[in-house]
Amino acid sequence: MKNVSFERADGVLFASVTGRIDGSNSHDFAAAVANSIEDGDTALIMDMKDLTYISSAGLRAVLVTEKNLRRRGSGFVICSLSGQIKEIFRVSGFDKVIRIGRNREDAAAAL
């Protein structure tokens, strides 16, 4: 999927998200993330610094990811939210369900 790229360091999978996550691509986004998680990964940090828009379908994809990781016993933190995206997470209540870090370092410390 073109709007998410992955890198791995010390058992942590980093996903960098760009552009939009909406009804047209949320299923592909969730599948790309799920297919990138390997058995040795202890956590996923999702960097949303370059995310410009997220719809309710996108939020649902993020929540499904969080639930799958929790079932595996793996950590999950999102980070680097722009003001607009942070407000969407706040209004939807997702900031109460999903850990949010200011940046990658903060997210890694939250694990």
Side-chain angles (χ1 to χ4, degrees), residues 1-6 13 15-18 20-38 44 46 48 51 54-69 71-72 76 94:
M1 168 158 210
K2 67 180 181 178
N3 71 332
V4 62
S5 60
F6 300 95
L13 179 64
S16 296
V17 185
T18 61
R20 302 170 57 95
I21 305 173
D22 56 30
S24 71
N25 65 2
S26 63
H27 180 74
D28 291 339
F29 170 78
V33 172
N35 291 333
S36 296
I37 298 169
E38 297 179 354
L44 169 64
M46 192 173 287
M48 296 187 167
L51 183 69
I54 189 165
S55 70
S56 59
L59 288 171
R60 188 169 40 256
V62 172
L63 185 61
V64 166
T65 298
E66 189 276 335
K67 286 182 178 181
N68 289 338
L69 287 164
R71 258 183 270 159
R72 292 184 53 171
F76 179 56
F94 276 52

Side-chain angles (χ1 to χ4, degrees), residues 71-86:
R71 258 183 270 159
R72 292 184 53 171
S74 298
F76 179 56
V77 183
I78 60 174
C79 67
S80 306
L81 301 178
S82 69
Q84 176 186 1
I85 303 296
K86 185 183 278 188

